[in-house]
Amino acid sequence: MNVVVCVKQIPDPAAPQSLDSGSYNLNRSGKLILDEADTYGVEMALQLTEKAGGGEVTVVSMGSAADLTGIRNALAMGAASAVVVSDDSLRGSDALGTAKVLAAAIGRTQYDLILCATESSDGYTGTLPVQLAEILGLPSVTFAKSVSVEGGQLSVQRQTEAGYDDVVCPLPAVVSVTAGVVEPRYASFKGIMAAKSKPVDQPTAADLGVAAGAANAGQKIVTVEAAEARQAGEKHVDDGDGADKIVAFLESIKVL
Amino acid sequence: MAISSIWVVAEPADGSFTTTSLELLTQARTFGATITAITWGGQAASLAAIAGEYGATTLFDAGDLGGALAGAPVAGAIASLVASQGAPDLILIPTSYDGRDIAGRLSAKLDRTVLTNVTGVADDGGIVTEHPIFGGTQIAKAQFTGAAPALVVVRAKSFVAESAGGAPAAVQSASSGDLGATNSAKITGTHVEEQEGPKLEEAAVVVSGGRGLGEASAYSLVADAAKLLNGAAGASRAIVDAGWVPYSFQVGQTGKTVKPTVYIACGISGATQHMVGMKGSKNIVAINKDPEAPIFQIADLGIVGDVHKVLPALIEKLKSR
């Protein structure tokens, strides 16, 4: 079974985030890492191919290829190859534009299943997996907290507001997986060494015959302003009286 | 550009529409436009009165989906309606698991951009949407630059739902057209993992736990305190991902949005992911060992201390009242 995993390299969420002035694009000039949300899809793909007794995992991404550390990380975990669509004309793409680009890139690979995170940790639009499925004419199951494949059919536990649903779906399909669905493995030393020589295809938008980027986005950011700030209130170091303080506060707001 | 026609995706739930759907219908009325609702699930006839009360004149019914996930068939029905009726200026879609699926499918079908995580919509020489970014510390405003319809996915509790007492909406059926393989994901079972007591999104008191609890068993402290306060228990993404509590407990970006009278955060540091879902609470109490935890920046009362000491003491005091 061949599995494609859509991944994204993002600025380290632990570092302060900012927008470029003018374009309002997220500032990506610093170090980029593999979005942690994507490591679950990579792990799931590796487990599914291992269980199927064969097949390859391909990671597909759109973004700058100047720093491929995050992509190499996915390869070091065990993915066989990567496709990174890197093209300055794609900067400022919206989720639909990105989905078109990824669909075109995925169209050049062999796949039975496409895995995505539910949303990226930097843009968190959260529509890409389904847009991708629609463009490719595939069914989709989003917010999967458990995924198994038996006889060419997917069985998924899909999160709902109240709990979860059991969902079945034929392959090929697109599935978005939640964080925590599996425990991502750490890359071994051997894996890290092997990743250095694994193929990373880098097509341009023209190679794929798609146009995206800010000019095609259908939206623009007009302003960014500071939100009304909440003021920090009293901060009290617990000295055995923390619970009393809370009770008094709850009384003051008439909850007690 | 005046906004003359708005469609609202009205998600059915428990014999009515979800609260977020009603919030969107209410907000749609502020534009003075014709409001059309779209629903599914086979109960449209009994929902016409509610749709009308909240301002919709027509309720399109995509029908019983036969166990299929809603995304493909409902987006198919809306796309068919756009083809037959012409595009509305704006389509409002609630942020929910199915809402996001519908929005994504529809975006690709109509080749229109979709804006998500929206907390405000206004007509300001075009449709302008508000998006909290960086944990809600900043608000980005975005404008649609392409052709109608503007697809907008709105977060829960961005508006207050109010009935306007309108006459029942006229129900018309809407066909999904040929969906091919896209409609082949089917639900075979449903599991409810909700807690007893008030619903997390509706409770006046929410007590939430995070990684600072140290281990899964300590979550019982959070659950006990919530129960004693007639509230609901919530959780940060970290402990949901760790499997301590079900996803339905999660408050934040990917979880639920809550706006209780008081939110009590126990051992939650305040990741931006979490803050987006609870920042709108009327009052915030935080208990955390780390005096530098970001949660203290928005807490009305911050207790710098060990949740394993403060919570048991609080529980004792509540029990003795």
Side-chain angles (χ1 to χ4, degrees):
Chain A
M1 185 168 81
N2 295 310
V3 184
V4 164
V5 187
C6 298
V7 303
K8 187 177 185 185
Q9 300 191 116
I10 63 167
D12 188 344
Q17 309 275 293
S18 66
L19 299 177
D20 292 337
S21 56
S23 74
Y24 293 123
N25 287 328
L26 186 64
N27 186 330
R28 297 176 194 277
S29 59
K31 189 176 148 41
L32 298 177
I33 62 167
L34 179 65
D35 188 342
E36 194 206 349
D38 294 330
T39 61
Y40 300 97
V42 174
E43 178 62 39
M44 175 56 73
L46 292 169
Q47 288 186 14
L48 289 172
T49 50
E50 282 159 12
K51 190 154 179 254
E56 288 191 339
V57 175
T58 306
V59 294
V60 176
S61 188
M62 182 183 106
S64 167
D67 178 356
L68 290 176
T69 314
I71 300 296
R72 294 283 174 203
N73 185 10
L75 296 173
M77 284 174 74
S81 62
V83 181
V84 179
V85 188
S86 182
D87 194 318
D88 282 344
S89 74
L90 300 176
R91 266 191 78 81
S93 292
D94 60 0
L96 182 58
T98 307
K100 288 177 184 172
V101 170
L102 293 180
I106 290 168
R108 312 203 313 174
T109 68
Q110 294 290 320
Y111 64 86
D112 301 294
L113 174 65
I114 301 168
L115 296 178
C116 304
T118 55
E119 60 185 12
S120 65
S121 305
D122 58 347
Y124 52 83
T125 305
T127 53
L128 183 132
V130 181
Q131 289 167 322
L132 186 60
E134 183 64 30
I135 294 165
L136 293 170
L138 299 177
S140 56
V141 187
T142 51
F143 289 92
K145 62 176 205 142
S146 150
V147 182
S148 60
V149 176
E150 209 77 55
Q153 173 153 285
L154 271 172
S155 293
V156 175
Q157 290 182 346
R158 177 183 187 251
Q159 251 174 262
T160 61
E161 275 75 11
Y164 65 94
D165 285 347
D166 300 317
V167 177
V168 295
C169 180
L171 293 175
V174 178
V175 172
S176 78
V177 296
T178 61
V181 64
V182 283
E183 187 63 41
R185 68 193 67 185
Y186 286 104
S188 65
F189 179 70
K190 203 175 143 210
I192 293 167
M193 295 311 288
K196 293 182 178 172
S197 57
K198 285 180 175 173
V200 179
D201 184 17
Q202 294 180 29
T204 62
D207 292 339
L208 298 175
V210 285
N216 295 288
Q219 78 195 41
K220 60 175 184 191
I221 305 284
V222 285
T223 61
V224 176
E225 287 163 7
E228 207 177 307
R230 273 191 91 102
Q231 293 300 316
E234 184 194 352
K235 193 154 95 179
H236 180 81
V237 178
D238 178 42
D239 190 16
D241 58 351
D244 290 316
K245 287 271 179 193
I246 295 173
V247 168
F249 181 80
L250 295 178
E251 282 173 341
S252 75
I253 58 171
K254 300 191 165 45
V255 165
L256 285 178
Chain B
M1 179 192 82
I3 296 173
S4 61
S5 172
I6 300 175
W7 293 1
V8 176
V9 171
E11 196 172 356
D14 306 327
S16 178
F17 298 115
T18 62
T19 307
T20 314
S21 305
L22 297 177
E23 289 161 5
L24 298 192
L25 285 165
T26 305
Q27 178 65 11
R29 297 204 302 267
T30 64
F31 292 92
T34 305
I35 302 170
T36 300
I38 297 118
T39 197
W40 62 95
Q43 305 293 320
S46 63
L47 296 175
I50 303 171
E53 252 179 61
Y54 282 83
T57 47
T58 308
L59 177 63
F60 280 107
D61 175 19
D64 185 337
L65 305 182
L69 290 180
V74 177
I78 298 172
S80 301
L81 287 171
V82 168
S84 64
Q85 315 264 322
D89 300 301
L90 173 64
I91 301 181
L92 296 172
I93 303 160
T95 297
S96 65
Y97 296 116
D98 285 343
R100 291 221 284 197
D101 282 5
I102 293 165
R105 291 265 173 202
L106 192 56
S107 160
K109 276 179 189 291
L110 300 176
D111 197 19
R112 295 287 180 271
T113 199
V114 55
L115 292 177
T116 62
N117 293 304
V118 170
T119 55
V121 191
D123 180 5
D124 189 7
I127 293 161
V128 176
T129 52
E130 288 184 17
H131 308 252
I133 59 171
F134 303 146
T137 53
Q138 296 181 47
I139 304 286
K141 287 191 180 174
Q143 188 163 20
F144 284 89
T145 55
L151 305 179
V152 175
V153 185
V154 184
R155 289 190 66 89
K157 297 191 164 58
S158 298
F159 313 111
V160 176
E162 276 171 33
S163 155
V171 179
Q172 293 187 34
S173 67
S175 151
S176 299
D178 181 15
L179 300 168
T182 63
N183 196 31
S184 51
K186 307 282 178 194
I187 300 169
T188 56
T190 292
H191 304 262
V192 175
E193 297 178 319
E194 277 189 328
Q195 39 192 327
E196 288 173 35
K199 280 191 167 181
L200 183 53
E201 333 51 324
E202 289 158 14
V205 178
V206 174
V207 186
S208 269
R211 219 195 287 268
L213 291 169
E215 54 185 359
S217 61
Y219 189 79
S220 63
L221 294 172
V222 170
D224 289 350
K227 201 169 178 190
L228 287 162
L229 289 164
N230 297 318
S236 72
R237 175 165 160 184
I239 71 166
V240 170
D241 287 349
W244 295 5
V245 291
Y247 277 97
S248 54
F249 285 49
Q250 186 171 318
V251 173
Q253 171 65 37
T254 43
K256 286 172 178 157
T257 303
V258 298
K259 286 191 176 179
T261 308
V262 61
Y263 187 87
I264 305 177
C266 309
I268 292 175
S269 61
T272 54
Q273 214 282 133
H274 186 73
M275 306 265 234
V276 166
M278 46 67 78
K279 232 180 146 224
S281 304
K282 230 178 244 164
N283 298 281
I284 297 172
V285 176
I287 309 166
N288 204 294
K289 251 196 315 211
D290 175 10
E292 303 302 322
I295 192 86
F296 287 129
Q297 292 165 18
I298 62 164
D300 301 287
L301 173 64
I303 303 293
V304 182
D306 186 348
V307 285
H308 302 96
K309 290 182 182 156
V310 179
L311 268 182
L314 178 64
I315 288 166
E316 282 318 306
K317 285 183 194 306
L318 293 173
K319 274 186 182 162
S320 65
R321 289 176 70 93

